[in-house]
Amino acid sequence: MTTGRRDTRTRDVLAVAIVLSAAYGCGMLLDWFKPGVDDSVPLVGIGEPVKVWPFDLVRACVVASWGLALVTWALARLRPPVVARPAMLADNGRSLKLATAAVLLLPFLIRPVAVLGGNLVQTAICVPSTAFAFWAITRMQRYRRMPARLPAAAFAWGGFVAVGFGAAMNSWLDQYGMAYLVDVFDLLRDPASAVGEMRTARALNAALFEELGKAAGIAVVYFGFRRHIDGLVSGLVLGAAIGLGFNFSESVLYMGEYGTGVSAYQYWLRQSVGLFAAHVALTAVVGAAFGVARQLRGRRRRTRVVACGFVVAVTGHFTVNALAAHMLRATDALFGDNPWLANLVGTPLTVIVLQGPVVVLYLLLLRRGLRAQAGAMAVELPLEVRTGYGAITTDEVSALQRPARRFFVTVKALRNGGFPAYRHLRRLHAAQFDLAAQRWHRSRGEVDPWSPAEALLRDRVLRLKDEGARTTPVPPAAEVES
């Protein structure tokens, strides 16, 4: 990767952090300058403290992060020593940008850390179901797989940064929403209508900023590790992992705020029937949009696709938030005074009605992405065999194209050579898929045709084969038939 491209991606990551921090700053300004509701309240509410902990701490840390970011920017603008080499200066500049981005994002971690640390029992209860969901999400990659650290980092972003940012923005709306959206006379004359307007505003605010926080995580991975994103499947996996992390922290929050009965209901809703819906489904759609953008030329076309995915997620999120109370009343009326039936039947019915369309959408996108990958492998793998370099052989093509046969090959390697042989074969398959994916991107015009990346990937496969021949012999794919 060239130095200029690294600088661009680092600058894009910093831009994502600046957008989130600036959005928080806008909420702070709206709260400061909110109008009073009567003569006894000043028209300008400068200095009014946020009463809910830890949002007051978050506000102080965000303001401090702005000061640290300015100091970091000033250091970056200083004239470098004459003896410094250009490569060293570029590395220092990228490090300062990444450090600035981290400083701007760290305050949003305060709330989720406090929630998870203060509800250790609820956290432990949610770990098994979330771990299973994370395994299932990563298993959606039937061909080329991203490094495990990327979905794990995406999960952490959703569980900490996105949750903290969304909670902070929801808190600001609670502070200034009534002053801007509800007239005092309307509140006195028709309080039910005023409360309804505020609920609608909360639903829209949560949909907009929670999805923005999650989409920002996908953008960071997209800008920083774009070479690992092939299309729909990798984008879906990243988005679903971020949504799963968000759902994990939110489940712990709601389970810890209420009594045992409500806590059990929240687990049933968020960690059972709705585990792969809601945030997982919505953010998977945004991730799919980033995956499609990876395959497009032109910044404008990519931006439009990502914007469409974001709008779909925000719309779906707002619809669920706005209609959830109505569906709850409908299920209560349908099942009468039987709470067990309302929970065991009414809750899944609500999830199907409100979130089913988005789940179906991302499953259809996943199917489309897997078919596209299968078609690409069916073309590129035989073409690589014909080159005669030996990176991929005819016997290996069948196993690489068929996930079930590839599974039996790895199991046989584990049985014959132990874990070292199994691990080596997994690395070899991953390198071969990387090579085939690079050929696919080149054939679609998505990468520079003169880039040395393909040759480097081919050399890596050949080195792995040579290492395997000298250390841990791997049974060829043809032996599976015996």
Side-chain angles (χ1 to χ4, degrees), residues 337-459:
D337 298 329
N338 191 332
W340 287 99
L341 196 60
N343 288 330
L344 295 178
V345 179
T347 299
L349 181 62
T350 301
V351 171
I352 292 173
V353 171
L354 295 182
Q355 305 173 21
V358 182
V359 174
V360 171
L361 174 61
Y362 90 77
L363 289 178
L364 290 176
L365 291 173
L366 175 63
R367 181 187 180 191
R368 174 71 178 271
L370 290 174
R371 286 186 172 183
Q373 284 188 343
M377 295 301 105
V379 173
E380 299 300 336
L381 291 174
L383 288 178
E384 176 62 28
V385 173
R386 295 174 190 172
T387 62
Y389 290 112
I392 300 175
T393 64
T394 304
D395 291 338
E396 293 170 327
V397 168
S398 178
L400 292 172
Q401 287 182 336
R402 297 164 56 186
R405 184 168 182 175
R406 190 165 65 251
F407 171 76
F408 286 116
V409 171
T410 54
V411 169
K412 191 162 189 175
L414 178 63
R415 186 175 59 192
N416 293 344
F419 185 74
Y422 169 82
R423 183 177 58 184
H424 179 269
L425 185 57
R426 292 293 299 270
R427 292 176 57 200
L428 176 60
H429 286 167
Q432 290 172 326
F433 279 128
D434 287 343
L435 174 59
Q438 182 68 21
R439 292 180 56 94
W440 182 33
H441 292 316
R442 177 172 57 80
S443 67
R444 294 170 58 93
E446 300 168 10
V447 297
D448 184 0
W450 304 105
S451 171
E454 184 175 322
L456 294 175
L457 290 171
R458 187 176 290 112
D459 290 342

Side-chain angles (χ1 to χ4, degrees), residues 187-368:
L187 180 61
L188 296 175
R189 183 173 57 252
D190 188 4
S193 177
V195 171
E197 292 179 6
M198 190 61 190
R199 285 177 178 172
T200 303
R202 285 173 177 168
L204 181 58
N205 186 84
L208 177 61
F209 289 110
E210 289 178 5
E211 294 304 327
L212 177 62
K214 292 184 289 181
I218 306 175
V220 168
V221 178
Y222 178 84
F223 292 134
F225 305 93
R226 186 179 171 184
R227 66 185 183 277
H228 296 298
I229 301 177
D230 290 326
L232 280 171
V233 177
S234 50
L236 281 164
V237 169
L238 286 175
I242 289 179
L244 184 66
F246 194 104
N247 181 71
F248 174 74
S249 293
E250 195 173 63
S251 299
V252 174
L253 170 64
Y254 286 117
M255 290 173 62
E257 282 189 348
Y258 305 102
T260 305
V262 178
S263 179
Y265 170 76
Q266 291 293 333
Y267 183 86
W268 169 244
L269 172 63
R270 300 177 182 276
Q271 291 292 314
S272 298
V273 295
L275 183 58
F276 292 98
H279 294 293
V280 173
L282 293 168
T283 318
V285 173
V286 182
F290 275 94
V292 173
R294 168 68 174 86
Q295 299 177 329
L296 297 178
R297 295 182 181 180
R299 192 178 188 91
R300 180 175 297 181
R301 295 181 65 190
R302 297 191 190 110
T303 303
R304 288 176 179 174
V305 170
V306 172
C308 289
F310 181 72
V311 169
V312 170
V314 172
T315 303
H317 197 152
F318 172 72
T319 301
V320 172
N321 289 348
L323 299 182
H326 299 284
M327 283 296 300
L328 181 60
R329 287 194 295 268
T331 53
D332 288 342
L334 179 62
F335 297 106
D337 298 329
N338 191 332
W340 287 99
L341 196 60
N343 288 330
L344 295 178
V345 179
T347 299
L349 181 62
T350 301
V351 171
I352 292 173
V353 171
L354 295 182
Q355 305 173 21
V358 182
V359 174
V360 171
L361 174 61
Y362 90 77
L363 289 178
L364 290 176
L365 291 173
L366 175 63
R367 181 187 180 191
R368 174 71 178 271

Side-chain angles (χ1 to χ4, degrees), residues 103-191:
V103 166
L104 292 175
L105 294 174
L106 279 175
F108 299 125
L109 274 62
I110 296 174
R111 173 65 170 169
V113 168
V115 169
L116 296 178
N119 300 278
L120 295 179
V121 175
Q122 290 81 359
T123 301
I125 291 174
C126 293
V127 165
S129 55
T130 301
F132 166 75
F134 184 80
W135 173 82
I137 287 171
T138 56
R139 293 298 298 176
M140 292 191 300
Q141 305 171 96
R142 300 183 63 185
Y143 298 98
R144 190 193 186 196
R145 295 178 181 272
M146 292 179 290
R149 66 181 183 274
L150 292 185
F155 176 87
W157 179 285
F160 290 95
V161 179
V163 165
F165 173 75
M169 299 307 296
N170 291 335
S171 175
W172 280 127
L173 179 68
D174 291 339
Q175 296 292 317
Y176 64 72
M178 293 291 288
Y180 285 105
L181 302 176
V182 179
D183 185 85
V184 62
F185 299 105
D186 293 338
L187 180 61
L188 296 175
R189 183 173 57 252
D190 188 4

